[in-house]
Amino acid sequence: MNNRFLLTRRHIIQLVFEMLVGGIGTAVTSRFINFNNQLQARDNPNKKFATDGKFSLKERAAIKDLIYGAAIQYSQLLSDRELANQVKCECKMLVPEWELKWFTGKQSLRPSPGRFDFGRADWMANFAKAHGLLFRGHTLVWHEALPPWFQNTVNSQNAEQFLEEHIKTVVRHYAGKIHSWDVVNEAINPSDGRSDGLRKTPWLKFLGSDYVELAFRFAAEADPQALLVYNDFGLDYDTPENEAKRNAVLKLLERLKSKSTPIHALGMQAHLQGDKTQFNSKKLKNFLRNVAALDLKILITEMDVADKNLPVDIKVRDRIVAATYEDYLSVVLDEPAVIAVLTWGLSDRYTWLSEFQPRRDGARVRPLPLDANFKRKLAWNAIARAFDNAPHR
Ligand code: XIL
């Protein structure tokens, strides 16, 4: 009997559970069959992701001249001593999840048109320095996290002045203390219908398609030493949307390089989905190679693996999440231009996916290397194994 349809005891229990919770229609159709057909093939109960725990992720990465780090919020780092200890133990790089965006609520970087509040980001930069971590900035230009005053203040006449003032003030403030900047974030969205693939954002509306080049030039003037990165998501899978995005991002990078724009790297956010099966290592490898051929480095900047559509069984979820980390990283780390891997968070206790991609069953999501009690998971093993198996830079 084809074991894809073998109804193991676990599956029967799950099916009954889903019938009780979601009703027969829900249980029998989408999730269970979806799991059985597509995900069981991905879940290898015999795969142990064996590795020793002797060396941390930062140590394993460093052996291959790679960098491992994580995005963390100021409030979490300040209030959670265990988190701070784990960041020191596992990470070589720290990126503020919120604090270098224009606006993320109270005590933001840009509380008003004429003000910059560096308090929180400075505290994080000092934390990084005190503990020998590299510090990276996210993000100077984005269509999200804009302050409430932006809409009524910035317009076509003054947008370039606001762009230049923001970039130069912030980049100068951290000049010499920053490893890299996400200068422009998520500027490509092919479904907006433009031939250049640019996302229709306020910056595009006010400044035209050259705003991306302008941003990089302002950043380079402010800190000639910083690695300047274009950062985006949706570049990972063998789907029409991701293919279109890869092509449009490559076109943007080629255009920028053809104009000698001071851009040094592509940031691939790598927000992956544990239930997504359209993973084509050849296409991904080819994209990485095409980016590297532009004399650009590559950073994996916001990696996590969403488990919202995976079965509730933690053992199954953790195995599939770990396999997704290992499959993806084994491909990207084969590309010598890849210099860093950052996860968007370090522990399941603090992940944006709890809010942005919650599970319908209400179970805590498990997308990151450490669980909510900072215990290493199979995902940690998978990242460790990927670093161990990566070629030396
Ligand atoms: C997310 C933060 O993690 C959330 O806490 C916030 O509410 C929204 O932004 N891509 C990015 C990040 O570049 O800045 C986003 O961070 C996640 C998606």
Side-chain angles (χ1 to χ4, degrees):
M1 178 184 193
N2 180 333
N3 67 5
R4 275 188 342 146
F5 297 95
L6 179 65
L7 282 183
T8 61
R9 195 168 67 85
R10 187 183 74 216
H11 291 146
I12 290 169
I13 292 168
Q14 176 176 331
L15 180 59
V16 169
F17 169 75
E18 297 222 357
M19 282 178 169
L20 291 173
V21 171
I24 291 180
T26 312
V28 173
T29 48
S30 57
R31 284 155 56 86
F32 180 75
I33 289 184
N34 176 36
F35 166 69
N36 202 38
N37 286 352
Q38 295 179 12
L39 290 177
Q40 187 184 30
R42 288 171 49 74
D43 174 29
N44 174 0
N46 303 317
K47 185 159 183 181
K48 305 299 176 207
F49 298 95
T51 186
D52 70 68
K54 233 171 17 196
F55 298 106
S56 67
L57 294 180
K58 78 175 171 186
E59 290 166 323
R60 294 169 122 103
I63 291 167
K64 303 295 176 66
D65 267 350
L66 283 159
I67 298 165
Y68 170 71
I72 308 286
Q73 291 177 30
Y74 160 84
S75 59
Q76 299 159 1
L77 208 50
L78 183 71
S79 61
D80 192 328
R81 183 182 296 278
E82 182 51 23
L83 173 69
N85 290 337
Q86 291 296 335
V87 168
K88 293 177 212 170
C89 166
E90 298 286 358
C91 298
K92 180 61 184 173
M93 189 180 284
L94 175 65
V95 52
E97 185 179 345
W98 283 9
E99 293 71 14
L100 284 171
K101 293 173 178 174
W102 282 55
F103 192 85
T104 47
K106 62 183 185 333
Q107 289 169 304
S108 287
L109 180 63
R110 297 301 310 270
S112 61
R115 272 194 61 218
F116 292 80
D117 178 353
F118 289 106
R120 293 179 165 219
D122 280 353
W123 187 92
M124 294 181 82
N126 294 333
F127 176 94
K129 187 166 184 290
H131 302 293
L133 277 76
L134 298 168
F135 191 54
R136 86 177 305 265
H138 173 83
T139 176
L140 296 168
V141 184
W142 193 22
H143 59 286
E144 304 275 3
L146 291 174
W149 54 261
F150 187 93
Q151 198 166 5
N152 312 325
T153 310
V154 182
N155 55 49
S156 303
Q157 284 66 47
N158 64 19
E160 182 170 335
Q161 177 220 329
F162 270 97
L163 184 76
E164 180 170 13
E165 182 196 35
H166 181 82
I167 293 173
K168 288 189 174 175
T169 305
V170 177
V171 174
R172 280 189 189 125
H173 186 85
Y174 293 105
K177 301 174 192 166
I178 209 113
H179 169 271
S180 51
W181 275 107
D182 287 336
V183 176
V184 176
N185 194 34
E186 303 181 357
I188 292 290
N189 185 27
S191 48
D192 276 359
R194 286 176 54 96
S195 60
D196 58 12
L198 284 176
R199 182 187 298 273
K200 291 180 178 170
T201 74
W203 297 112
L204 179 74
K205 189 171 93 182
F206 296 143
L207 295 170
S209 56
D210 289 346
Y211 85 89
V212 179
E213 178 189 350
L214 212 47
F216 277 92
R217 292 193 187 285
F218 291 152
E221 282 169 40
D223 182 358
Q225 304 311 314
L227 195 80
L228 303 180
V229 183
Y230 172 72
N231 193 49
D232 217 328
F233 68 93
L235 302 168
D236 318 299
Y237 289 103
D238 186 7
T239 63
E241 300 76 20
N242 279 201
E243 185 68 17
K245 184 114 183 207
R246 284 191 291 270
N247 292 337
V249 165
L250 203 53
K251 249 172 49 182
L252 171 68
L253 297 176
E254 285 164 351
R255 206 163 48 246
L256 292 169
K257 290 296 276 185
S258 71
K259 298 163 91 174
S260 307
T261 308
I263 177 172
H264 312 119
L266 168 67
M268 299 174 68
Q269 292 184 11
H271 291 297
L272 306 181
Q273 302 286 333
D275 62 309
K276 213 160 178 149
T277 54
Q278 308 94 322
F279 181 70
N280 180 323
S281 56
K282 253 178 74 186
K283 285 196 176 177
L284 183 59
K285 220 183 262 284
N286 194 43
F287 173 70
L288 296 167
R289 198 179 308 118
N290 289 337
V291 172
L294 295 173
D295 191 23
L296 292 171
K297 296 296 182 192
I298 299 166
L299 294 84
I300 307 302
T301 52
E302 306 183 12
M303 193 167 185
D304 48 25
V305 180
D307 66 354
K308 71 176 165 56
N309 295 327
L310 296 183
V312 67
D313 180 336
I314 284 179
K315 287 197 181 64
V316 175
R317 271 199 268 166
D318 281 5
R319 272 201 305 267
I320 293 177
V321 166
T324 306
Y325 271 108
E326 192 162 37
D327 291 352
Y328 187 86
L329 288 176
S330 64
V331 171
V332 302
L333 293 178
D334 250 359
E335 170 49 62
V338 174
I339 60 170
V341 175
L342 295 110
T343 47
W344 203 245
L346 180 60
S347 155
D348 298 334
R349 181 179 291 190
Y350 306 106
T351 167
W352 72 304
L353 295 176
S354 300
E355 180 189 347
F356 283 80
Q357 295 198 38
R359 289 178 55 87
R360 276 188 299 181
D361 58 18
R364 180 192 283 275
V365 295
R366 296 171 64 88
L368 290 168
L370 305 183
D371 73 11
N373 298 315
F374 303 106
K375 191 169 160 300
R376 289 171 173 177
K377 296 157 54 189
L378 292 183
W380 185 94
N381 292 31
I383 299 170
R385 286 155 54 101
F387 286 143
D388 293 350
N389 297 325
H392 200 290
R393 263 63 194 145

